[in-house]
Amino acid sequence: MADLSQYVRLQDGSFIFALLCIVFNPLFWNVMARWEYRTRSLSRMVGSPYIACYCLGAVLIFLAAFRSHCFTEAMRTQPSLGVLETPGPYYLGLILLGAGGILVISSFLALGFVGTYLGDYFGILMDEKVTGFPFNITENPMYWGSTANYLGLALTNASPAGLVLTAVVAVVYKVAIAFEGPFTEEIYRKKAESGKNK
Ligand SMILES: *[C@@H]1O[C@H](CO)[C@@H](O)[C@H](O)[C@H]1NC(C)=O
């Protein structure tokens, strides 16, 4: 790939919009979650941390669906690549879609709605760290499952633009994990400490 712009029209409106969606999602949930953690504003607004968490979760589900829509739209308006329009990449894409789906669904089932949608920032902590499947395969199965799904979509659509967007998803998740991991650990460390003081 000597010249990327041959395969991906970087200035295409729907491509840029998809990029913005991909960057916006984790930015939004981290800003909201830390704001809630520091001020309890969302919980106070609706009167309960559980309801607040469910509301934010609903917004995040909508945003995730919207991001996938933007991703698909960006691929639809961009050229596809001949060498990817072969059975190999297509079936690899299907496998990735399946594996990604399994990772995302099984982490959701393991964590529950509140655990998945930032409950710890609302003060709703899990009793113990979830270590069973799929968390024994990767520490962040939700993020890597989601990345695998996007890669699968890009491959089944033979879309170079989709591949570039998937790389951005992976980088954005990597940054999000680096940003969220220590903070969540700190929340649980404080919980353990206050438990000891009782
Ligand atoms: C993860 O846990 C599942 C179920 O508990 C088990 O079947 C699987 O072998 C484990 N995988 C690894 C890599 O440890």
Side-chain angles (χ1 to χ4, degrees):
M1 278 208 193
D3 186 8
L4 187 67
S5 63
Q6 227 178 307
Y7 304 99
V8 184
R9 295 194 302 264
L10 297 170
Q11 275 143 347
D12 199 76
S14 62
F15 181 81
I16 292 174
F17 200 70
L19 268 184
L20 291 179
C21 283
I22 288 167
V23 174
F24 176 77
N25 272 16
L27 199 63
F28 174 78
W29 79 58
N30 272 293
V31 167
M32 293 306 276
R34 290 206 179 187
W35 181 52
E36 163 66 15
Y37 183 74
R38 297 229 163 82
T39 67
R40 297 282 167 245
S41 296
L42 295 173
S43 293
R44 264 193 247 128
M45 234 180 269
V46 296
S48 140
Y50 281 91
I51 296 174
C53 184
Y54 277 109
C55 290
L56 182 62
V59 172
L60 293 179
I61 289 172
F62 169 78
L63 285 174
F66 185 66
R67 178 182 57 180
S68 297
H69 168 75
C70 295
F71 188 95
T72 313
E73 276 303 296
M75 288 196 303
R76 210 171 53 77
T77 54
Q78 297 260 347
S80 54
L81 186 60
V83 297
L84 293 176
E85 287 174 321
T86 47
Y90 182 77
Y91 286 113
L92 179 61
L94 286 186
I95 290 168
L96 283 166
L97 281 173
I102 289 170
L103 283 179
V104 169
I105 290 167
S106 61
S107 2
F108 181 80
L109 293 177
L111 293 174
F113 190 98
V114 168
T116 301
Y117 291 103
L118 307 162
D120 26 19
Y121 291 82
F122 290 82
I124 313 166
L125 301 182
M126 311 269 265
D127 293 331
E128 52 191 22
K129 200 173 165 168
V130 179
T131 52
F133 183 82
F135 292 87
N136 62 353
I137 294 181
T138 154
E139 214 172 313
N140 298 283
M142 194 69 92
Y143 290 161
W144 299 127
S146 164
T147 308
N149 278 334
Y150 282 117
L151 185 54
L153 271 181
L155 285 175
T156 50
N157 286 281
S159 170
L163 292 178
V164 172
L165 289 174
T166 301
V168 178
V169 168
V171 170
V172 165
Y173 277 158
K174 199 109 183 105
V175 172
I177 289 166
F179 187 73
E180 293 165 10
F183 199 78
T184 320
E185 264 169 39
E186 182 67 16
I187 294 176
Y188 279 91
R189 198 187 56 76
K190 280 196 181 136
K191 179 204 178 200
E193 230 167 46
S194 70
K196 262 186 244 144
N197 293 342
K198 263 178 202 156

